[in-house]
Amino acid sequence: MKTKSIPIIIILIAAAISCFASVIQGVSFDIFTKRLFWTVIIFAIIGVIVSIVMHQGFRTMESEEEQTEEVAEDTELENVSVEEQEK
């Protein structure tokens, strides 16, 4: 699975929520920009961490699937070998 776009999506959602909250509260432009800046920085870090964790999880899942496929292939080869020996 592609996890490259996850940090960007997290940042955009967090920035949108921060903007809406600041507009509803009617804060000044100075406070608005500081909130938006820190929101983007914090959620960029969170997004990168989530992306790394998900990437590691999918890599583990893929290696487990490969191992089960190898075991299945080995058993098929053993079954074929036994059948050929019986002939």
Side-chain angles (χ1 to χ4, degrees):
M1 181 178 175
K2 296 182 180 179
T3 58
K4 189 175 183 178
S5 62
I6 291 174
I8 297 167
I9 293 170
I10 291 174
I11 293 168
L12 288 173
I13 291 171
I17 292 171
S18 174
C19 288
F20 289 133
S22 294
V23 168
I24 290 172
Q25 291 176 352
V27 297
S28 67
F29 184 71
D30 182 41
I31 295 172
F32 178 85
T33 54
K34 286 180 184 176
R35 280 186 186 179
L36 184 60
F37 174 75
W38 287 112
T39 301
V40 168
I41 296 298
I42 290 169
F43 280 93
I45 294 168
I46 292 171
V48 168
I49 292 170
V50 168
S51 178
I52 290 170
V53 169
M54 288 182 67
H55 184 70
Q56 292 294 329
F58 286 124
R59 186 181 308 164
T60 304
M61 286 175 41
E62 289 173 358
S63 66
E64 288 175 0
E65 289 176 3
E66 290 173 0
Q67 289 175 354
T68 55
E69 289 175 2
E70 288 176 4
V71 169
E73 289 175 3
D74 290 342
T75 24
E76 288 177 11
L77 290 175
E78 289 174 3
N79 291 339
V80 171
S81 298
V82 170
E83 290 174 2
E84 288 177 358
Q85 290 175 0
E86 290 175 357
K87 289 181 183 180

